[in-house]
Amino acid sequence: MSSSPSRQRKTKEPCSGCGLHRELCICAQIPKLNLSTKLVLIIHTRELKRTTNTGQLALQSLSNSEMRVRGQPGQLLDLSDLLNPKYQSLLFYPSEEAVELTSELVQSFQKPIQLFVPDGNWRQAGKVSIRHKEISHLPRVMIKFRNEAEHHLRAEHTPYGMSTLE
């Protein structure tokens, strides 16, 4: 069985706000944050139908954010219009050259941060810097602390795993 972008969503009639099953709706609990940091969620088209997609929840919380969809058949996504000199742009992706995203690092920049966040499974997210040369030069950042939250939005397979929203 192959999955394609046109596959049907398993959840019938999800909440139009959070995308979760209606009985699990968390819209009332989503905080509204007005930060100088800009979040750019680069989401794979297959993630749009998942009720477990938490990146879209982050967008609802952060007023200074936007989403770009990649992986749509026959459509090339160009992110170069997002490279704005008023921001210090960073790519959020753990790799050998990634540095830890700490408050000290954030304070070292003279400009607000624009954080590019690939959203999808590991394979999809790993292709973002390869397929989008316009952002491949951006410094990479990551979070290095263990996810010790009592409750998780989905099952994690490593102690450092977390959803996009977390």
Side-chain angles (χ1 to χ4, degrees):
M1 175 193 302
S2 70
S3 64
S4 67
S6 62
R7 70 185 174 131
Q8 292 295 312
R9 184 181 186 124
K10 289 181 182 176
T11 303
K12 302 296 182 204
E13 299 181 34
C15 171
S16 61
C18 64
L20 297 174
H21 299 274
R22 289 188 186 272
E23 64 274 9
L24 299 174
C25 173
I26 60 169
C27 288
Q29 286 80 38
I30 299 173
K32 301 296 183 204
L33 304 173
N34 187 12
L35 306 175
S36 60
T37 298
K38 180 178 181 179
L39 173 74
V40 178
L41 187 70
I42 308 167
I43 189 169
H44 193 276
T45 189
R46 290 184 179 164
E47 289 294 304
L48 292 173
K49 294 181 180 181
R50 296 186 181 275
T51 56
T52 58
N53 179 270
T54 60
Q56 294 182 78
L57 296 174
L59 290 176
Q60 289 185 42
S61 183
L62 301 170
S63 62
N64 191 19
S65 63
E66 67 179 275
M67 176 175 66
R68 298 289 177 98
V69 180
R70 63 178 293 277
Q72 295 176 320
Q75 295 183 18
L76 293 176
L77 176 63
D78 183 4
L79 302 170
S80 57
D81 65 306
L82 293 169
L83 297 173
N84 186 328
K86 76 177 192 175
Y87 288 105
Q88 171 62 53
S89 294
L90 302 170
L91 178 60
F92 185 75
Y93 189 76
S95 63
E96 297 272 330
E97 67 274 7
V99 297
E100 188 171 6
L101 184 59
T102 63
S103 57
E104 292 80 22
L105 179 65
V106 171
Q107 292 170 5
S108 73
F109 298 122
Q110 302 299 311
K111 305 181 240 181
I113 290 176
Q114 176 172 246
L115 190 60
F116 287 83
V117 179
D119 192 15
N121 63 35
W122 276 108
R123 186 169 184 245
Q124 294 162 345
K127 291 181 180 179
V128 168
S129 66
I130 297 165
R131 297 227 170 120
H132 296 281
K133 300 293 184 201
E134 65 273 24
I135 63 168
S136 64
H137 68 284
L138 295 179
R140 286 168 173 72
V141 294
M142 62 189 236
I143 296 174
K144 287 189 177 180
F145 62 83
R146 296 173 71 90
N147 186 355
E148 296 179 353
E150 184 177 336
H151 302 287
H152 298 276
L153 293 169
R154 66 170 144 220
E156 296 301 338
H157 304 290
T158 71
Y160 298 94
M162 58 186 72
S163 68
T164 303
L165 181 61
E166 290 171 310

